[in-house]
Amino acid sequence: MTAASGALTHIGVSGEAHVVDVSAKDDTVRVAVAEGFVRMNPATLATVIAGNAKKGDVIGTARIAGIMAAKQTSNLIPLCHPLMLSKVTVDITEDADLPGLRVEATVKLTGKTGVEMEALTAVSVTCLTIYDMAKAVDKTMEIGGIRVMEKSGGKSGDFRHPERS
C-alpha cells in the first residue's frame, strides 16, 4: 500500500514499521477477489476429483482451510488490521488444461481498510492444503499464479486485473 506521494504507508518517517492509522477513513463496502492454482499430474487430479485421496475430501477440506485463513490474516501477516469480514467464499474448480485445480477467493466487508491480503491468504492456504492432502500421490505439484484479480471500495477506487474477463 502506498500513499499518494508514492511512499510506503507501513513505514514511518524514521523507517520504523507501523500499522496504518485508518481511523479518519470512511467505512465503505470493500471486496477483493484473488486467484491461484495447483498444477498436478492428471492421475492426481482424477484421484482428488473422485474423492479417493488417502487424507479424505481434498476440495472440501481446502475450502474450509481457505476460509479460516482469511479470518486469521492479521495473525499471519504483520501490520494487517484485524477485520470483521462479512463474506468469504472459496471456489475450487477443476482445470484439465493445467491439469489441476484453480482457486478463487472473494472477501467482503464494510470497513475502513481493504481485504486484498485476506483474499490472497485464503487462496494461498487453500492451495497449500490441496498440496498437503495430495502430496502422498504427487510430490511434483506446483502452486502458482497467486494474485489479486479485483478490488473495489475505498479511496483508491476499483481495480480489475487486465487478464480478468
Side-chain angles (χ1 to χ4, degrees):
M1 186 173 177
T2 60
S5 66
L8 295 174
T9 57
H10 287 83
I11 307 296
V13 292
S14 302
E16 75 283 357
H18 62 88
V19 174
V20 175
D21 181 0
V22 296
S23 59
K25 290 184 171 186
D26 293 329
D27 283 343
T28 62
V29 175
R30 295 159 183 269
V31 178
V33 179
E35 71 172 15
F37 65 81
V38 182
R39 183 176 288 125
M40 59 189 70
N41 291 320
T44 307
L45 179 59
T47 298
V48 169
I49 296 302
N52 294 329
K54 289 182 182 179
K55 286 190 173 184
D57 178 6
V58 173
I59 292 173
T61 302
R63 180 179 295 110
I64 294 295
I67 292 167
M68 291 174 63
K71 294 167 46 175
Q72 293 297 317
T73 300
S74 66
N75 292 325
L76 300 169
I77 309 294
L79 311 180
C80 278
H81 292 88
L83 302 176
M84 276 301 277
L85 305 178
S86 57
K87 175 184 178 180
V88 179
T89 60
V90 175
D91 296 314
I92 303 168
T93 55
E94 178 182 2
D95 184 343
D97 292 335
L98 269 173
L101 297 170
R102 293 205 174 271
V103 176
E104 182 176 278
T106 302
V107 180
K108 179 180 179 181
L109 62 62
T110 300
K112 299 177 183 299
T113 188
V115 288
E116 297 91 355
M117 293 308 300
E118 288 71 14
L120 288 165
T121 300
V123 168
S124 299
V125 170
T126 300
C127 290
L128 288 167
T129 302
I130 292 167
Y131 183 93
D132 178 56
M133 293 191 71
K135 70 183 181 227
V137 294
D138 186 358
K139 290 182 179 31
T140 67
M141 287 180 287
E142 173 189 341
I143 295 171
I146 298 172
R147 59 192 176 166
V148 173
M149 296 306 290
E150 294 181 41
K151 77 91 137 169
S152 62
K155 187 176 177 182
S156 67
D158 297 349
F159 164 79
R160 188 172 184 90
H161 195 284
E163 293 181 22
R164 186 80 168 173
S165 54

